[in-house]
Amino acid sequence: QDPDPGGHFQFRVIVLGDAAVGKSSLLRCFAEGPGGGPGGAATPGPTVGVEFYSRTVPVPPAGRAKLQLWDTAGQERFRSITRSFYRSAAGVLLVFDLTNRASFERVPEWHREAAGGGDPPAFVLVGHKCDLEAERAVSAEEAGHLAASLGMAFVETSARTNLNVDLAFQMLAGGIQEAL
Ligand code: GDP
């Protein structure tokens, strides 16, 4: 994970979790979100089975990191492709749907799969669709406990209201830098 010519570190980040929890929406919201954020517009690039974006984020106290974002959309079908990405990912956003209890219960399995073998990447656990408060099936407290037990930070996000989306990626970038 060497600095780019601008002196920014570049990290490969993947977004994992059950189908339909909102991985693609979260990625798109971050990569193409209003304001563009530091580093400007997102850059879609060509890949097979995954989509690629990048965006530069601030990392406290004074750094910046360019995140290369890999969408594992269709990972249920492209499992072997995704597996090869586990090994090169510096960070993982592990996403579940706050209104879908089964997606929460699968978190330890996703964690095991992505953490296994070699240097484990940095993780952030993301409870997504927090705009659907009336349909919530997992409490923040419960999710926080699970995250802590697996050594992850936890944040709740919504792509619909754009709540904490940038924060989730910035937390991950911070976690990656700390682990360097
Ligand atoms: P993926 O399969 O994990 O990539 O999930 P998608 O990004 O395709 O989203 C699955 C469904 O959840 C779609 O119908 C989205 O519109 C919806 N969705 C995604 N993010 C949110 C959110 O923050 N809030 C709500 N209410 N729905 C969302």
Side-chain angles (χ1 to χ4, degrees):
Q1 314 281 342
D2 297 322
D4 68 12
H8 305 142
F9 280 89
Q10 296 189 71
F11 303 117
R12 181 174 290 184
V13 165
I14 58 178
V15 182
L16 292 182
D18 278 5
V21 295
K23 299 180 297 297
S24 300
S25 304
L26 193 66
L27 250 181
R28 225 170 290 127
C29 185
F30 174 67
E32 301 169 356
T43 316
T47 53
V48 179
V50 293
E51 289 172 66
F52 169 73
Y53 305 90
S54 71
R55 185 174 153 189
T56 300
V57 296
V59 180
R64 278 151 72 92
K66 183 176 181 182
L67 298 184
Q68 296 183 309
L69 308 162
W70 297 84
D71 187 358
T72 53
Q75 64 199 5
E76 298 79 14
R77 281 166 51 224
F78 293 104
R79 198 131 198 153
S80 57
I81 293 175
T82 306
R83 266 180 205 290
S84 67
F85 282 114
Y86 290 159
R87 274 173 244 123
S88 59
V92 176
L93 277 194
L94 210 174
V95 186
F96 70 95
D97 176 346
L98 286 162
T99 71
N100 176 346
R101 181 123 200 122
S103 74
F104 175 67
E105 284 164 359
R106 287 255 296 149
V107 163
E109 204 175 316
W110 282 114
H111 182 269
R112 208 161 35 242
E113 214 166 311
D119 279 344
F123 283 90
V124 170
L125 182 64
V126 176
H128 192 55
K129 307 191 189 178
C130 70
D131 56 287
L132 299 176
E133 186 56 42
E135 295 166 48
R136 178 187 282 270
V138 181
S139 73
E141 190 184 12
E142 190 180 5
H145 279 137
L146 177 65
S149 77
L150 293 170
M152 293 187 271
F154 172 63
V155 64
E156 296 193 348
T157 59
S158 169
R160 192 155 291 177
T161 63
N162 196 13
L163 185 76
N164 290 344
V165 172
D166 284 9
L167 177 64
F169 285 92
Q170 283 171 25
M171 285 166 65
L172 188 60
I176 295 168
Q177 298 251 107
E178 254 171 46
L180 283 182

